[in-house]
Amino acid sequence: MRLLNRLAAPLLAAVLLTGGTALPATPAVAAEQQQQAIRIMPLGDSLTFGKGDRAANGYRNWLHSWLTLSGVDADFVGSQTDGTGADTGHEGHPGWRIAWLTRHADHWMATYKPQVVLLDIGTNDLIRNQANGSTQRLAQLIDRLVAADPKVEIVLAKLLVVKHRNAREFRSFNAKLAKVAARHPRNVTLVDMSVIPASDTVDGVHPDTTGYQKMAFQWYQGLRRVLPTGRSMQPVANPFTAGG
């Protein structure tokens, strides 16, 4: 996985500096390496915040629980702390649009130093009739995140297609995301939230409990592709299947 190379870089440097022989880590250093959590920033709007879920956990509690059960030491980071889960950090801002995240991206990247960003944004642009230029604005946001850290892993979500008059704009937006992701193929992994039906929402926009569980499942599958431990991450019950 791409992030594995990033985390292994300090060890490789030690090997090169010692002529090909890695110096044994001290017990303190070894313990620190083992305990180092992977910093993950959930970034987006009210679907990242968890609106529609009375506890404001959204997908985040499901996802963190599954990562923990799989042996992944994940630290959710961000300036917001909402929900009742074991780790409530995030950058989910209800009502925000793509450009508003871009204005703060440098600060968040410098402050919280996420290694992985879970990016779900664009819903408010589209339902407020600002579809024109939306994918270009998203590309600029991703450019900003990558410029702040060229090694950052961005898991980018296709949007849940809302039960709304703007559904056509949502489908058009999602169809262009593969091209947006291809601008930074080493950094961006695409996951599909459009497979979550509007029937799994409380209002045609915000997921209900089942919808958020399905979002967590999609994020989890994306993370299995980018985390160092991804190949050994245990599969979880698929909420899209009957009885999942």
Side-chain angles (χ1 to χ4, degrees):
M1 265 59 66
R2 296 182 300 230
L3 192 54
L4 178 60
N5 294 330
R6 177 180 182 179
L7 298 178
L11 177 60
L12 176 60
V15 172
L16 294 175
L17 289 173
T18 56
T21 302
L23 295 175
T26 66
V29 171
E32 182 178 356
Q33 291 173 343
Q34 291 176 354
Q35 295 173 4
Q36 185 177 17
I38 297 174
R39 297 183 301 280
I40 300 175
M41 177 182 287
L43 177 61
D45 50 34
S46 56
L47 275 70
T48 298
F49 173 85
K51 187 174 180 180
D53 176 3
R54 292 183 179 180
N57 286 316
Y59 70 76
R60 294 177 283 107
N61 195 26
W62 287 105
L63 180 59
H64 193 273
S65 296
W66 290 341
L67 292 172
T68 301
L69 289 173
S70 292
V72 177
D73 187 6
D75 179 17
F76 283 8
V77 299
S79 63
Q80 309 297 303
T81 53
D82 297 278
T84 60
D87 191 339
T88 59
H90 69 95
E91 286 295 350
H93 301 270
W96 279 36
R97 306 171 194 174
I98 298 167
W100 299 359
L101 293 186
T102 304
R103 295 172 193 167
H104 299 269
D106 290 344
H107 170 70
W108 291 331
M109 292 295 289
T111 302
Y112 301 105
K113 297 179 171 57
Q115 296 161 283
V116 179
V117 174
L118 306 179
L119 181 58
D120 187 339
I121 192 65
T123 294
N124 292 300
D125 294 70
L126 302 184
I127 65 176
R128 288 174 172 77
N129 301 313
Q130 295 186 359
N132 289 341
S134 56
T135 51
Q136 290 90 337
R137 293 192 294 274
L138 178 62
Q140 291 169 1
L141 170 57
I142 293 173
D143 288 346
R144 184 70 64 87
L145 296 173
V146 174
D149 181 358
K151 296 180 180 179
V152 69
E153 295 283 355
I154 301 169
V155 185
L156 174 65
K158 288 186 177 181
L159 300 179
L160 188 158
V161 178
V162 303
K163 187 178 180 181
H164 195 274
R165 65 181 182 275
N166 297 91
R168 181 177 179 179
E169 284 81 359
F170 276 77
R171 288 191 288 270
S172 176
F173 180 90
N174 285 336
K176 299 173 183 177
L177 291 193
K179 186 174 181 179
V180 173
R183 290 165 51 90
H184 296 283
R186 296 183 179 180
N187 301 87
V188 182
T189 298
L190 198 60
V191 296
D192 192 0
M193 300 300 175
S194 71
V195 296
I196 301 169
S199 58
D200 287 334
T201 68
V202 296
D203 56 5
V205 178
H206 301 97
D208 57 17
T209 300
T210 299
Y212 276 125
Q213 187 180 16
K214 290 178 179 179
M215 284 190 72
F217 183 81
Q218 295 298 84
W219 288 126
Y220 186 82
Q221 300 311 314
L223 288 171
R224 292 181 75 182
R225 286 180 260 162
V226 302
L227 293 181
T229 53
R231 293 185 185 275
S232 61
M233 285 167 61
Q234 297 299 313
V236 298
N238 186 345
F240 288 93
T241 60

